[in-house]
Amino acid sequence: MSNKNKECCPKFTPEKWDCKTYNWDNKSFIKETLPTLFHIPFPPMIGKKVGKMCKMVEDSEKAEANNEDALLLFRDPSAFKSEIYLSVASSVPNANNVSISGTFIGKVFAGSYNAIPKFIKQMNEYLAAEGKKAKDYYIHYAYCPMCAKKYGNNYMILFARI
């Protein structure tokens, strides 16, 4: 996510995230929103928003201590709005600072953006087998489009708030 060291997206380790439970207690994020059309965002806007967020974090030196722990989460509260959350070490000046709390289960999937409904169905089946049910979903894409080509895959983590 940072161009400072010429590294964009760190190498993703699926085992670190797959089928793991996370208890977040006021986990710090900065938040942006963008319009969507039936859950489809306008690609140029994503880059602008994420770039702005990354620059704010870089300038304030409030990035996660370990780049591999950084999360860029997407949530669609409606068919016409998407929320973007970037995890940070602490409050970032002039940003929309928010915190997220709750118990989350992460499951890693490999595939394209348009496979998300299928992945949500698979996640629901996984949770049902564990006797759990999702209240909400957040998605972390492991790589930007350029790094997905570089690493040769399109991983994402589906986080279910239970």
Side-chain angles (χ1 to χ4, degrees):
M1 284 189 242
S2 169
N3 290 332
K4 198 178 223 179
N5 299 324
K6 298 296 181 202
E7 176 187 65
C8 186
C9 303
K11 184 96 168 108
F12 181 70
T13 309
E15 302 79 30
K16 178 178 179 176
W17 302 97
D18 196 33
C19 301
K20 303 282 196 280
T21 300
Y22 302 90
N23 292 304
W24 293 343
D25 183 20
N26 292 314
K27 184 167 177 57
S28 296
F29 290 87
I30 58 171
K31 176 183 170 186
E32 286 283 342
T33 61
L34 60 107
T36 61
L37 184 59
F38 299 107
H39 300 285
I40 299 171
F42 304 107
M45 290 186 78
I46 296 171
K48 286 179 186 175
K49 294 281 185 166
V50 171
K52 173 185 169 188
M53 295 169 83
C54 289
K55 180 162 179 22
M56 291 174 86
V57 171
E58 189 175 302
D59 290 349
S60 68
E61 298 181 358
K62 301 290 184 174
E64 293 271 3
N66 182 348
N67 199 20
E68 293 177 13
D69 293 335
L71 293 171
L72 181 65
L73 303 177
F74 290 81
R75 178 178 169 269
D76 285 2
S78 78
F80 303 100
K81 179 181 172 185
S82 186
E83 299 171 338
I84 306 170
Y85 298 85
L86 178 58
S87 63
V88 292
S90 62
S91 185
V92 175
N94 302 315
N96 182 9
N97 292 280
V98 298
S99 63
I100 298 177
S101 296
T103 301
F104 294 80
I105 294 181
K107 190 152 176 48
V108 175
F109 295 93
S112 64
Y113 173 83
N114 61 0
I116 290 173
K118 177 179 83 171
F119 298 151
I120 289 175
K121 182 179 180 204
Q122 291 173 6
M123 178 63 125
N124 286 337
E125 291 167 358
Y126 171 78
L127 292 173
E130 299 288 317
K132 296 174 173 46
K133 185 175 172 141
K135 296 176 186 171
D136 201 3
Y137 286 107
Y138 294 79
I139 299 169
H140 168 78
Y141 298 96
Y143 301 125
C144 68
M146 193 168 62
C147 289
K149 288 178 185 172
K150 172 181 159 184
Y151 292 120
N153 56 46
N154 232 356
Y155 285 121
M156 64 186 77
I157 309 167
L158 188 56
F159 286 101
R161 185 192 318 242
I162 56 170

